[in-house]
């Protein structure tokens, strides 16, 4: 282990977790919907820690300007722009995870909804620069009904929207004061 890196117990969320490779980061999204609870929890903890570390690193390079953030967030509710546009106030891995987690709650796999929903909730709760408005716009876009979709796909989108809205509500971002 390199200098300044602290070894943690498997799946533990805390300071000092070693930097994760991109491959390891991507693999977490395959472990998050596991039917094995321990495997899902470990992936959840590792993903959350990685995102917290990346956001901390990002903010050390460019601190969050709350005024610019509020203006950007307000512009989301008044524009018809692309709902999948990246959030300029978070690290690239946080943007990527946000997109993957929102898509994951729409999955037909019950364990995926559970794992991705819990991770989405905690990511929003612990990273203040994650915008509730942005997440809601992305969620509504991903779960919008489309012509030509079958009943199962419509059902998955409906459950996905419900799980996503629950994640947003549980995170507390709707009541967050900047």
């Amino acid at each position: 282990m390199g200098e300044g890196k602290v070894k943690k117990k498997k799946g533990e969320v805390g300071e000092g977790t070693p930097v994760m490779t991109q491959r390891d980061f991507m693999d977490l999204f395959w472990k998050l919907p596991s039917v094995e609870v321990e495997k899902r929890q470990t992936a959840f903890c590792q993903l959350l820690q990685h995102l917290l570390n990346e956001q901390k690193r990002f903010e050390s390079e460019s601190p969050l300007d709350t005024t610019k953030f509020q203006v950007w967030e307000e512009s989301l509710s008044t524009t018809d722009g692309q709902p999948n546009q990246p959030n300029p106030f978070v690290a690239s891995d946080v943007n990527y995870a946000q997109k993957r987690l929102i898509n994951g709650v729409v999955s037909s796999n019950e364990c995926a909804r559970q794992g991705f929903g819990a991770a989405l909730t905690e990511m929003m709760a612990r990273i203040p620069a994650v915008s509730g408005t942005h997440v809601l716009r992305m969620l509504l876009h991903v779960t919008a009904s489309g012509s030509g979709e079958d009943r199962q796909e419509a059902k998955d989108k409906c459950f996905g929207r419900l799980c996503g809205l629950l994640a947003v509500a549980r995170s507390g971002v709707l009541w967050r004061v900047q």
Side-chain angles (χ1 to χ4, degrees):
M1 281 196 298
E3 183 180 323
K5 294 183 180 174
V6 179
K7 185 172 179 145
K8 305 298 270 180
K9 288 190 328 188
K10 184 178 178 183
E12 183 179 346
V13 174
E15 293 283 331
T17 304
V19 176
M20 185 177 290
T21 67
Q22 276 303 109
R23 180 166 176 85
D24 290 341
F25 172 61
M26 297 298 203
D27 286 347
L28 293 175
F29 293 101
W30 291 101
K31 295 174 184 174
L32 215 47
S34 175
V35 292
E36 298 173 36
V37 176
E38 187 176 318
K39 189 175 184 180
R40 191 170 57 236
Q41 288 174 339
T42 299
F44 165 83
C45 291
Q46 289 173 347
L47 176 65
L48 185 59
Q49 187 58 54
H50 174 73
L51 296 175
L52 291 170
N53 288 342
E54 288 300 304
Q55 185 63 22
K56 188 175 185 179
R57 190 172 302 126
F58 178 82
E59 288 179 0
S60 72
E61 294 168 7
S62 55
L64 179 63
D65 181 336
T66 54
T67 304
K68 286 182 181 178
F69 177 75
Q70 288 172 338
V71 169
W72 175 78
E73 191 172 42
E74 287 172 12
S75 76
L76 290 173
S77 57
T78 59
T79 63
D80 292 328
Q82 289 295 322
N84 290 331
Q85 69 180 353
N87 177 341
F89 300 98
V90 297
S92 62
D93 281 357
V94 175
N95 268 316
Y96 179 79
Q98 181 174 298
K99 194 173 190 175
R100 284 288 300 264
L101 295 173
I102 289 170
N103 286 323
V105 297
V106 181
S107 171
S108 60
N109 177 338
E110 186 177 317
C111 293
R113 286 191 200 118
Q114 217 173 9
F116 285 91
L120 183 61
T121 300
E122 284 301 311
M123 181 186 73
M124 288 187 291
R126 294 194 185 193
I127 301 176
V130 172
S131 162
T133 304
H134 191 230
V135 170
L136 282 172
R137 283 186 58 128
M138 289 176 72
L139 177 67
L140 295 176
H141 176 74
V142 167
T143 60
S145 297
S147 62
E149 62 188 30
D150 62 16
R151 292 186 84 203
Q152 184 61 46
E153 189 175 357
K155 180 180 166 186
D156 291 341
K157 284 184 175 185
C158 187
F159 276 126
R161 182 174 283 191
L162 180 62
C163 290
L165 291 173
L166 186 59
V168 171
R170 284 184 173 171
S171 72
V173 296
L174 299 175
W175 300 274
R176 187 182 292 159
V177 178
Q178 294 292 339

